[in-house]
Amino acid sequence: MKKSDLWAGIGMIGLGLCCLLAALLLDTPLDSVLCGLFGALTAPGIVQIYKYFMWGRSPEYRAKLEEEQIDLRDERKEMLRNKSGRIAYVIGLLAAAVSMTAFSVLGTLGIVSEAASRLMILFLAGYMLFQLAAGRIVYRLLARKY
């Protein structure tokens, strides 16, 4: 493993500890978020440092990295990753459309307040428009590049 992996792990632990200190010393409504960030940054940092020292000079790990590089360049696997990304994109759009319909019905029936229902519908509509625009923009950029 590279030395930058070690420094990244140390940096993640440092940021996690800063979040914990901020949560303990400051009295803000974001204390729970800061504690969550502590766990979300510290645990992967510890794992990365562990991997650096345990797997850093191991021949098995080097073989694993070589196999991973081969898998990343495999055309069939690349095609499958592209196809799965496209399917996930379409499922996300369908889930947003179904959620918009469900919130509309819940708002009309009075189960959810009208204001909350309208806000959620507007958010999901904005999300769908963002997804569609991002998909088109990324496609055009890739079409120009290749």
Short mmCIF file of all heavy atoms in Angstrom, two decimals, residues 17 45-46 64 69 75-76 86 93 108 121 126 140-141:
data_model
loop_
_atom_site.label_atom_id
_atom_site.label_comp_id
_atom_site.label_asym_id
_atom_site.label_seq_id
_atom_site.Cartn_x
_atom_site.Cartn_y
_atom_site.Cartn_z
N LEU A 17 -12.10 12.75 15.25
CA LEU A 17 -11.88 13.25 16.61
C LEU A 17 -12.28 14.72 16.75
O LEU A 17 -12.81 15.13 17.78
CB LEU A 17 -10.43 13.04 17.02
CG LEU A 17 -10.02 11.57 17.22
CD1 LEU A 17 -8.52 11.47 17.50
CD2 LEU A 17 -10.83 10.95 18.35
N GLY A 45 -11.04 5.03 8.98
CA GLY A 45 -9.65 5.43 9.16
C GLY A 45 -8.85 4.36 9.87
O GLY A 45 -7.71 4.04 9.49
N ILE A 46 -9.45 3.77 10.90
CA ILE A 46 -8.78 2.69 11.63
C ILE A 46 -8.57 1.48 10.71
O ILE A 46 -7.50 0.88 10.70
CB ILE A 46 -9.58 2.31 12.89
CG1 ILE A 46 -9.51 3.46 13.90
CG2 ILE A 46 -9.08 1.01 13.50
CD1 ILE A 46 -10.45 3.30 15.08
N LYS A 64 -3.70 -9.64 -5.11
CA LYS A 64 -5.10 -9.19 -5.08
C LYS A 64 -5.26 -7.85 -5.80
O LYS A 64 -6.22 -7.64 -6.54
CB LYS A 64 -5.55 -9.06 -3.62
CG LYS A 64 -6.99 -8.67 -3.44
CD LYS A 64 -7.34 -8.59 -1.97
CE LYS A 64 -8.73 -8.07 -1.78
NZ LYS A 64 -9.09 -7.89 -0.38
N GLN A 69 -6.98 -4.72 -10.66
CA GLN A 69 -6.69 -3.88 -11.81
C GLN A 69 -7.14 -4.55 -13.11
O GLN A 69 -7.66 -3.89 -14.01
CB GLN A 69 -5.19 -3.55 -11.87
CG GLN A 69 -4.73 -2.59 -10.80
CD GLN A 69 -5.44 -1.25 -10.87
OE1 GLN A 69 -5.66 -0.71 -11.95
NE2 GLN A 69 -5.81 -0.73 -9.72
N GLU A 75 -13.50 -5.68 -20.31
CA GLU A 75 -14.56 -5.05 -21.10
C GLU A 75 -15.94 -5.56 -20.72
O GLU A 75 -16.91 -4.79 -20.66
CB GLU A 75 -14.32 -5.28 -22.59
CG GLU A 75 -13.11 -4.55 -23.11
CD GLU A 75 -12.83 -4.86 -24.57
OE1 GLU A 75 -13.65 -5.55 -25.22
OE2 GLU A 75 -11.79 -4.43 -25.06
N ARG A 76 -16.07 -6.85 -20.46
CA ARG A 76 -17.36 -7.42 -20.10
C ARG A 76 -17.84 -6.84 -18.77
O ARG A 76 -19.00 -6.44 -18.63
CB ARG A 76 -17.26 -8.94 -20.01
CG ARG A 76 -18.55 -9.61 -19.61
CD ARG A 76 -18.38 -11.14 -19.53
NE ARG A 76 -19.52 -11.74 -18.91
CZ ARG A 76 -19.69 -11.89 -17.61
NH1 ARG A 76 -18.78 -11.46 -16.77
NH2 ARG A 76 -20.76 -12.46 -17.12
N ARG A 86 -27.14 2.26 -15.40
CA ARG A 86 -28.31 2.72 -16.15
C ARG A 86 -29.60 2.20 -15.52
O ARG A 86 -30.57 2.94 -15.36
CB ARG A 86 -28.19 2.27 -17.61
CG ARG A 86 -29.41 2.47 -18.44
CD ARG A 86 -29.63 3.92 -18.77
NE ARG A 86 -30.81 4.03 -19.62
CZ ARG A 86 -31.54 5.10 -19.71
NH1 ARG A 86 -31.19 6.18 -19.05
NH2 ARG A 86 -32.58 5.14 -20.47
N LEU A 93 -35.52 7.00 -10.89
CA LEU A 93 -36.53 7.88 -11.46
C LEU A 93 -37.94 7.32 -11.22
O LEU A 93 -38.87 8.07 -10.88
CB LEU A 93 -36.29 8.06 -12.96
CG LEU A 93 -35.09 8.92 -13.34
CD1 LEU A 93 -34.92 8.93 -14.86
CD2 LEU A 93 -35.23 10.33 -12.82
N THR A 108 -53.98 14.36 -0.22
CA THR A 108 -55.39 14.53 -0.56
C THR A 108 -56.29 13.86 0.47
O THR A 108 -57.35 14.39 0.82
CB THR A 108 -55.68 13.93 -1.96
OG1 THR A 108 -54.82 14.56 -2.90
CG2 THR A 108 -57.11 14.15 -2.37
N ILE A 121 -43.53 16.65 -2.66
CA ILE A 121 -43.76 16.50 -4.10
C ILE A 121 -42.84 17.43 -4.88
O ILE A 121 -42.24 17.04 -5.88
CB ILE A 121 -45.25 16.74 -4.44
CG1 ILE A 121 -46.10 15.60 -3.88
CG2 ILE A 121 -45.45 16.88 -5.95
CD1 ILE A 121 -47.58 15.86 -3.96
N GLY A 126 -38.12 18.16 -8.25
CA GLY A 126 -36.81 18.76 -8.49
C GLY A 126 -35.73 17.71 -8.61
O GLY A 126 -34.83 17.81 -9.46
N ARG A 140 -23.79 13.60 -22.98
CA ARG A 140 -23.19 14.47 -23.99
C ARG A 140 -21.69 14.64 -23.79
O ARG A 140 -20.93 14.67 -24.75
CB ARG A 140 -23.89 15.82 -24.01
CG ARG A 140 -25.28 15.72 -24.61
CD ARG A 140 -25.94 17.06 -24.71
NE ARG A 140 -27.28 16.90 -25.25
CZ ARG A 140 -28.21 17.82 -25.18
NH1 ARG A 140 -27.93 18.97 -24.62
NH2 ARG A 140 -29.39 17.60 -25.70
N LEU A 141 -21.28 14.78 -22.53
CA LEU A 141 -19.85 14.91 -22.26
C LEU A 141 -19.10 13.64 -22.66
O LEU A 141 -18.02 13.71 -23.26
CB LEU A 141 -19.61 15.21 -20.78
CG LEU A 141 -20.00 16.60 -20.30
CD1 LEU A 141 -19.87 16.69 -18.78
CD2 LEU A 141 -19.17 17.67 -20.98
#
